[in-house]
Amino acid sequence: MNPAASPSDPACPLCGPAPAGLLWEDARLRVIHVDDSPFPGYIRIIWRRHVAEMTDLSPAQRGNLMQAIYQVEALQRQILQPDKINLASLGNQVPHLHWHLIPRWHADPCFPDAIWAPNRHDPVQQAAWQRQAHALTTQRVPLLRKAITDAFEGV
Amino acid sequence: MNPAASPSDPACPLCGPAPAGLLWEDARLRVIHVDDSPFPGYIRIIWRRHVAEMTDLSPAQRGNLMQAIYQVEALQRQILQPDKINLASLGNQVPHLHWHLIPRWHADPCFPDAIWAPNRHDPVQQAAWQRQAHALTTQRVPLLRKAITDAFEGV
């Protein structure tokens, strides 16, 4: 792996060293657990090269990236049993190709809106969600993190 | 094409007849122009079968759906020249697999947030955006609609 061989932008935060929550990386992509999120098991997959859109990739590269997404989605569903999976490639704030893979629950703060919509919870709902999220984070998310690392390492 | 052969849910709005804005359909998917949106050139691609997640599809079906997404994204970029493309499969409100393909502009109401975030515009910004959006809608979106139909029909 030689990241220096990839086009990169010194001003881009996703071109820098691996962030906290790194579960796996190779020369093509990084798989990150977003551990400061209120959504347990939120994973980000970041393409290593500094490109903005899926159609900036070759068909083989797109296939490789989507395969990683399906692998993580399958593990999120199996281990966390969320009510829905949300997939999104936005990149408006950081135009470096990356995907959000977000498990969603009926009781989460934004459901059924996108996670970028306002929080809908009143204090009682928020407290109940925090208990549910804490249980997921302590009991299930460690299993998800290990399963992702194992799957990508081919263990 | 025999939609009746596909699993469908009578209560699901995406299992019903083709909605307004239909640009193309076959037995597998529908391509819709979202013509009541403030985001010019917003396209929705709806999988015909009533399934919820990408990992409910076979690898060949996933490839077919993503190929349609890349084809539309390429045409949105070429014809509309937006500042960014947003791709998202959420389905929290309607858990029937569909993708949002949203051209974004620096001046649009939510940029750089997701389109599901609150509108950031003051009245002056909103008026300027409405002029830009009107020009796109009248001059470029008809070209996009025709290009998508032609591309999917193999013209």
Side-chain angles (χ1 to χ4, degrees):
Chain A
M1 186 179 71
N2 180 9
S6 295
S8 65
D9 177 343
C12 172
L14 297 187
C15 284
L22 181 72
L23 300 181
W24 190 79
E25 66 179 341
D26 68 1
R28 293 167 300 190
L29 54 84
R30 284 175 166 157
V31 182
I32 312 290
H33 174 240
V34 184
D35 46 16
D36 60 351
S37 164
F39 297 90
Y42 183 165
I43 302 292
R44 213 171 270 142
I45 298 184
I46 304 170
W47 192 251
R48 298 292 296 268
R49 287 167 55 98
H50 186 76
V51 298
E53 308 288 4
M54 287 299 282
T55 48
D56 291 327
L57 300 184
S58 72
Q61 291 170 327
R62 289 174 207 163
N64 181 255
L65 175 50
M66 292 309 300
Q67 191 52 42
I69 290 168
Y70 304 142
Q71 190 152 28
V72 169
E73 176 182 296
L75 292 169
Q76 287 174 317
R77 293 180 72 184
Q78 177 191 328
I79 295 169
L80 304 177
Q81 302 188 354
D83 295 312
K84 191 69 190 68
I85 296 289
N86 288 181
L87 304 178
S89 171
L90 307 180
N92 306 317
Q93 314 222 22
V94 180
H96 174 136
L97 184 60
H98 61 283
W99 281 82
H100 306 272
L101 291 79
I102 313 151
R104 301 296 308 276
W105 283 268
H106 293 146
D108 80 38
C110 302
F111 203 92
D113 296 327
I115 67 162
W116 302 281
N119 184 322
R120 289 168 166 258
H121 277 169
D122 63 31
V124 172
Q125 292 170 317
Q126 185 63 16
W129 168 247
Q130 283 175 345
R131 287 191 295 275
Q132 184 176 345
H134 179 74
L136 285 161
T137 299
T138 55
Q139 295 164 25
R140 294 282 163 177
V141 170
L143 303 177
L144 175 69
R145 294 176 60 126
K146 180 171 188 323
I148 290 172
T149 303
D150 286 354
F152 280 81
E153 286 178 350
V155 172
Chain B
M1 185 180 70
N2 179 10
S6 294
S8 66
D9 177 343
C12 173
L14 297 188
C15 285
L22 181 72
L23 299 181
W24 190 79
E25 67 178 339
D26 68 1
R28 294 168 299 193
L29 54 83
R30 285 175 167 159
V31 182
I32 312 290
H33 174 242
V34 184
D35 46 17
D36 58 351
S37 164
F39 297 91
Y42 184 165
I43 302 292
R44 212 170 272 141
I45 297 183
I46 304 170
W47 191 250
R48 297 292 296 267
R49 287 169 55 98
H50 187 75
V51 298
E53 307 288 5
M54 286 301 281
T55 48
D56 291 326
L57 301 184
S58 71
Q61 290 171 328
R62 290 174 207 163
N64 180 255
L65 176 49
M66 293 309 299
Q67 191 53 42
I69 290 168
Y70 305 142
Q71 190 153 28
V72 170
E73 176 182 296
L75 292 170
Q76 288 174 317
R77 294 179 72 185
Q78 177 191 327
I79 295 170
L80 303 178
Q81 302 188 355
D83 295 312
K84 191 71 190 68
I85 295 289
N86 287 181
L87 303 179
S89 170
L90 307 180
N92 305 317
Q93 315 222 21
V94 181
H96 173 135
L97 183 62
H98 61 283
W99 281 83
H100 305 272
L101 292 80
I102 312 151
R104 301 295 309 274
W105 283 269
H106 294 145
D108 78 40
C110 301
F111 203 91
D113 296 327
I115 67 162
W116 301 281
N119 184 323
R120 290 169 165 257
H121 278 169
D122 65 30
V124 172
Q125 292 170 318
Q126 185 63 17
W129 168 248
Q130 283 175 346
R131 287 191 295 275
Q132 184 177 347
H134 179 75
L136 286 162
T137 298
T138 54
Q139 294 163 26
R140 293 282 163 178
V141 170
L143 303 177
L144 175 69
R145 294 176 59 127
K146 179 173 189 319
I148 290 172
T149 303
D150 287 353
F152 279 80
E153 286 180 350
V155 172

